[in-house]
Amino acid sequence: MFERFTGSARDAVTQARTEAADLGDVEVGTQHVLLGVLWNAEGAGKQLLDEIGLDYRTTRQRIADGVGQTFPDAEALRGIGIDLDEVRRRAEQAFGKGALNRRGGGREDGRPRFAQESKKTLELALREAIALRQNYLGTEHILLGLTRLPASSAGRLIAASGVTPDELGARLRQRLRKAA
């Protein structure tokens, strides 16, 4: 699959792993893949991200602050009076920013492994390139793959920009078809 990746797309995937490691995460999540795309996007995808105001620096800060993360048991804990946001705030107040970031685990070489959702994103990116009859896979296709998982961390970060992942994907597909 990687032989179809453009240099920019390969760099985006590599950057996603770097972002996960820098943020202290053991897995490369969709939020890290989005950061990799933002860091190295070009062409139609980059133009569209700029238009909706989704930029690398702001998105990275939002991820570091925990925006877009899912905590499956948060609602259950809230039901018994535990507010995870307050727990995070107090832990960071006492132990420093990022004190509750997931560390350890990962691969034996210490690099974060790709989460299933991130692997699925790359598979969906390849499907998008094939559907568009394009013989390469670029950052725009990775972005399309991300829009196909609206409940993911990246999907929530995209939605926070005021555009749903479905809307972003439709607009990007339209631009790519026009360019072809």
Side-chain angles (χ1 to χ4, degrees), residues 15-125:
Q15 184 65 24
R17 179 173 270 157
T18 299
E19 295 292 345
D22 289 351
L23 289 164
D25 293 324
V26 298
E27 286 189 326
V28 178
T30 58
Q31 69 275 23
H32 305 112
V33 174
L34 177 60
L35 275 180
V37 169
L38 287 166
W39 178 79
N40 201 34
E42 56 188 25
K46 174 66 171 156
Q47 291 170 346
L48 196 50
L49 290 168
D50 288 345
E51 286 174 22
I52 67 169
L54 206 58
D55 67 276
Y56 171 82
R57 188 181 338 185
T58 304
T59 303
R60 190 176 199 288
Q61 186 58 54
R62 296 185 84 212
I63 292 168
D65 291 342
V67 175
Q69 290 182 5
T70 56
F71 299 99
D73 297 327
E75 197 58 41
L77 290 171
R78 194 175 348 275
I80 59 170
I82 298 172
D83 180 350
L84 284 180
D85 291 331
E86 181 63 15
V87 170
R88 177 177 287 279
R89 188 187 67 72
R90 287 187 182 187
E92 288 185 350
Q93 187 176 35
F95 302 106
K97 189 135 182 87
L100 294 181
N101 287 356
R102 293 168 287 171
R103 300 192 192 287
R107 295 172 17 153
E108 286 181 22
D109 63 6
R111 296 186 316 164
R113 64 183 174 271
F114 276 79
Q116 279 304 121
E117 228 173 11
S118 296
K119 291 177 185 177
K120 182 69 174 177
T121 295
L122 298 178
E123 177 188 324
L124 291 168

Side-chain angles (χ1 to χ4, degrees), residues 130-144:
I130 291 168
L132 289 164
R133 295 178 172 30
Q134 295 175 325
N135 62 356
Y136 68 94
L137 195 150
T139 56
E140 62 274 20
H141 301 108
I142 296 173
L143 181 57
L144 284 172

